[in-house]
Amino acid sequence: MSSFFHDIKKKCNFALMKTPIFIAGPCVIESMECLETVAKELVRINEELGTDIVFKSSFDKANRTSIHSFRGPGLEKGMQMLGDIKEKYGLKILTDIHESCQAEAAAEVADILQIPAFLCRQTDLLVAAANTGRIVNIKKAQFLSGDDMQWPVQKVRESGNDNVWLTERGNIYGYNNLAVDFRNIADMKKYSDVVIMDCTHSVQRPGAAGGKTGGNREFVPAMALAAKAFGANGYFFEVHPNPEEALSDGPNMLYLKDLEELVRKLIKL
């Protein structure tokens, strides 16, 4: 079990922590070059600001809009690449899993296993993630309330793992649109000491860009600041050196060059 797991267990009362949790990285693993570019910047920010930003990227995007969309390198190659990033740069790793059979292999590298929003009620997936002993970060489904998330939390805890985080990422609002009810953050804090705001997926326009997802990245900083006011413990940012050329979620990803300024602002508040 990683030292990070023990450290977070000790720090679940975030009133005692000096800085929030930050999670950042490209949506999907595109290349080793892209991963390293992001990793180097996260290390620089950590050294500059005294943060401990968790590196995030997905080995497979199983819920893309089109069958022709880029999904990533897959479990084996993807986890090898994330393992190389972890070893070379000393960053903690978060990645998402879509099937219960992926949990054990992903946990060999990842400090945090993330459950995608659409899958947050999948019992076998939650139990498999819990059984690894890693932190389990569950994204709130777009069709659930904050209070509804007590049940996924219960599944993880009753499987023997008390280290469960919850993440807000907006709710379906008509077609091809999301809206954030920030009261969900306060509601979810009743069930987990750690509630993260996914500031980039919450500005998505699902399926609204002709067979792929659109988004409005200009609202990302406001999402973070509003979540801070409602008591979020941490912030999730998908970042990319050039989002316009990203292979997944480009329209809602933050430019890597803009990450430090926003992290600095959230620390100061």
Side-chain angles (χ1 to χ4, degrees):
M1 201 172 293
S2 73
S3 61
F4 183 54
F5 177 82
H6 292 293
D7 290 344
I8 291 295
K9 191 170 184 179
K10 292 176 183 177
K11 297 175 181 177
C12 278
N13 182 355
F14 274 76
L16 302 177
M17 292 191 70
K18 294 181 180 180
T19 60
I21 294 171
F22 292 101
I23 301 164
C27 178
V28 65
I29 298 172
E30 299 180 8
S31 66
M32 201 63 197
E33 180 183 7
C34 180
L35 294 184
E36 292 208 78
T37 297
V38 175
K40 289 175 184 176
E41 178 65 2
L42 297 190
V43 170
R44 187 193 68 78
I45 293 172
N46 283 339
E47 292 174 350
E48 178 75 19
L49 303 182
T51 49
D52 190 14
I53 302 174
V54 177
F55 186 97
K56 179 271 171 184
S57 198
S58 300
F59 57 83
D60 181 22
K61 299 299 292 184
N63 62 346
R64 298 299 305 276
T65 302
S66 169
I67 196 170
H68 302 294
S69 298
F70 180 78
R71 289 183 53 169
L75 177 63
E76 184 176 354
K77 184 177 179 181
M79 294 315 301
Q80 180 181 348
M81 294 169 77
L82 290 176
D84 290 344
I85 290 294
K86 183 174 187 176
E87 182 177 0
K88 184 173 181 178
Y89 296 98
L91 294 164
K92 278 76 174 185
I93 300 294
L94 178 150
T95 197
D96 40 6
I97 57 174
H98 295 83
E99 301 179 66
S100 56
C101 62
Q102 297 173 337
E104 187 174 349
E108 291 180 5
V109 172
D111 301 275
I112 306 164
L113 296 180
Q114 183 166 275
I115 307 300
F118 285 128
L119 301 177
C120 74
R121 290 169 31 125
Q122 296 296 104
T123 301
D124 289 347
L125 184 61
L126 290 163
V127 171
N131 286 341
T132 67
R134 297 303 191 185
I135 295 168
V136 181
N137 181 36
I138 312 173
K139 285 195 171 184
K140 181 184 70 62
Q142 298 91 326
F143 48 85
L144 295 180
S145 71
D147 270 322
D148 291 331
M149 294 305 293
Q150 64 183 292
W151 309 114
V153 170
Q154 182 187 60
K155 291 177 183 180
V156 173
R157 288 188 172 149
E158 293 195 6
S159 298
N161 189 338
D162 288 332
N163 287 269
V164 55
W165 297 356
L166 292 174
T167 294
E168 167 62 34
R169 53 98 69 245
N171 283 84
I172 296 168
Y173 187 74
Y175 298 112
N176 306 122
N177 205 4
L178 298 173
V180 177
D181 181 350
F182 289 96
R183 294 174 299 180
N184 283 325
I185 293 172
D187 287 339
M188 289 193 291
K189 289 186 78 172
K190 295 183 287 188
Y191 311 112
S192 174
D193 291 323
V194 182
V195 175
I196 307 291
M197 180 67 204
D198 184 340
C199 304
T200 44
H201 285 100
S202 58
V203 300
Q204 279 183 333
R205 298 294 302 276
K212 57 185 179 180
T213 291
N216 299 98
R217 78 171 62 88
E218 64 269 25
F219 299 130
V220 169
M223 288 291 181
L225 295 172
K228 176 79 172 181
F230 277 84
N233 304 109
Y235 308 90
F236 179 111
F237 302 108
E238 286 193 329
V239 298
H240 194 280
N242 187 358
E244 306 303 334
E245 297 180 3
L247 299 180
S248 176
D249 275 2
N252 52 267
M253 275 202 282
L254 196 66
Y255 280 91
L256 181 62
K257 64 181 178 61
D258 295 331
L259 179 63
E260 181 184 353
E261 180 182 356
L262 185 51
V263 168
R264 189 183 294 273
K265 185 178 293 186
L266 290 165
I267 291 172
K268 287 182 177 179
L269 286 176

